[in-house]
Amino acid sequence: MSQEERQSRLRLAVALWALSLLFVAAGLAAGSEGWSPAQTWALLQGPDGGLLIGQIRAPRTLGAWLTGALLGLGGAVAQGLFRNPLADPYLLGSASGAVLGVVVVLAASMLVGHGVSLATADVMARFGLVGAAFLGALVGVMLTLSLARGAQQTARLLLAGVVVGVLLGAVSDLVTTAAPDALRGKQAFLLGSTGFLGWGSCAVMGAGLLIVLPLGWRLSRALDALTLGEDSALSLGIALPRVRLAMVVVLALATGLAVSQAGLIAFVGLVSPHLVRRFALATHGYLLVASAATGGVLLLAADVLARSLTAPQEQPVGVLTAVLGGGYLIWLLHRRRVVA
């Protein structure tokens, strides 16, 4: 590793730590009246200030960072697995599966007395939207693996993910046709939100990140070898089918946890690895960790903006990430065209 590479990695790491701390502080100071440190300080002096900060703003802020970190990690794994810079964490059918799980639970709770028993609806309600979304995401990935006959061929896996995504999306549309009242809940899930994240969500996502990040780190050398081509990776003694399956597990767990807790949030997983590559030349080991931190910073910044731009009305955070991420990619494509 050259001195320049070490310095670029160190600069990026310091910047990510500083931005994380900055936006954590901003998140703690952002409330229903927008971003206001003075008002937050005044609240802390009152009897309910600690409860407001400790039970509402703090878990939401930490949860937003963890959600973005899982999506950033998933995006880096997906781009390394498919060797495609346009790959995002939702390619394997996890997004459409999560949406279908949420829609089924919503529709069942609204169709009591219309063919769905009260006991069945009660079981689904107890299971919850979060559990349904996570289970749906895993089902979507399992269907993709089944259709692709494993993870041996990335092209077949990618095509299977597209097919499963379209199919599960059509099924969720049919369910909302039968239960139109579930459409509003589906729309809210599609827009993404960090407003319902609590300490329980933080614990689940934090534990998941502690599992998938070290596993992704162990697979990073295989991702480096894949950049040279499959033949080169095989010549280095890498068991590609097993490695690909492990990558799919990491991708599915990271994406499923993030989506189940905060809904569909666009572009964070796609943009994060691009930003890391732009500011630091690194192997996949560093890329995975830095992409996770970058995703956390991006989503936390978008969450602060969502709470502050039009306060007291709050904007869906998924809309802001789509606008900001899409705008960045458009600018990047335009810049490359001009340079070319």
Side-chain angles (χ1 to χ4, degrees):
M1 185 192 307
S2 66
Q3 184 67 23
E4 182 181 356
E5 290 178 348
R6 287 195 186 94
Q7 290 180 353
S8 64
R9 293 186 187 187
L10 180 60
R11 285 194 299 267
L12 181 59
V14 171
L16 289 174
W17 272 109
L19 288 173
S20 295
L21 294 175
L22 175 65
F23 285 118
V24 164
L28 294 177
S32 59
E33 299 299 326
W35 186 73
S36 176
Q39 185 183 39
T40 301
W41 177 254
L43 283 173
L44 287 174
Q45 309 307 310
D48 299 328
L51 180 63
L52 177 66
I53 301 297
Q55 297 300 321
I56 298 178
R57 295 187 189 178
R60 176 173 182 170
T61 299
L62 178 60
W65 193 95
L66 290 171
T67 302
L70 289 169
L71 291 175
L73 174 63
V77 171
Q79 292 177 16
L81 172 63
F82 295 108
R83 288 178 288 168
N84 188 336
L86 295 179
D88 72 3
Y90 302 141
L91 280 177
L92 298 184
S94 57
S96 54
V99 172
L100 179 58
V102 169
V103 168
V104 167
V105 170
L106 290 173
S109 64
M110 296 173 183
L111 289 177
V112 176
H114 296 80
V116 176
S117 67
L118 182 61
T120 302
D122 183 64
V123 169
M124 290 186 174
R126 290 178 183 274
F127 188 58
L129 296 181
V130 171
F134 183 71
L135 180 61
L138 294 186
V139 167
V141 174
M142 294 302 295
L143 285 175
T144 299
L145 286 173
S146 176
L147 185 60
R149 298 177 184 176
Q152 288 82 4
Q153 299 181 8
T154 53
R156 180 182 297 217
L157 190 64
L158 180 60
L159 181 60
V162 173
V163 172
V164 168
V166 173
L167 177 62
L168 295 184
V171 173
S172 67
D173 290 337
L174 288 176
V175 174
T176 54
T177 301
D181 291 338
L183 186 59
R184 180 175 296 179
K186 175 184 176 181
Q187 184 180 18
F189 187 80
L190 289 172
L191 293 176
S193 174
T194 56
F196 301 102
L197 296 177
W199 287 120
S201 300
C202 293
V204 170
M205 290 190 291
L209 187 62
L210 289 176
I211 293 172
V212 296
L213 188 56
L215 182 56
W217 176 273
R218 293 194 62 180
L219 297 171
S220 60
R221 291 190 176 183
L223 290 173
D224 292 334
L226 276 174
T227 60
L228 303 175
E230 293 190 6
D231 293 336
S232 298
L234 288 171
S235 68
L236 294 173
I238 296 176
L240 286 182
R242 188 176 4 171
V243 167
R244 286 198 184 102
L245 183 60
M247 291 177 191
V248 170
V249 170
V250 171
L251 179 58
L253 287 176
T255 308
L257 284 172
V259 169
S260 65
Q261 301 295 329
L264 298 189
I265 297 177
F267 280 102
V268 171
L270 177 61
V271 170
S272 297
H274 283 274
L275 288 173
V276 174
R277 296 189 193 98
R278 177 173 174 79
F279 293 105
L281 298 175
T283 57
H284 277 88
Y286 182 89
L287 177 67
L288 294 179
V289 177
S291 295
T294 303
V297 169
L298 289 178
L299 186 53
L300 184 51
D303 181 55
V304 173
L305 286 175
R307 287 187 263 172
S308 306
L309 282 178
T310 57
Q313 183 180 1
E314 182 177 321
Q315 298 299 321
V317 68
V319 174
L320 283 181
T321 58
V323 171
L324 297 176
Y328 170 75
L329 290 178
I330 290 173
W331 174 81
L332 189 62
L333 290 172
H334 176 72
R335 182 175 178 274
R336 288 185 175 180
R337 183 183 302 175
V338 171
V339 172

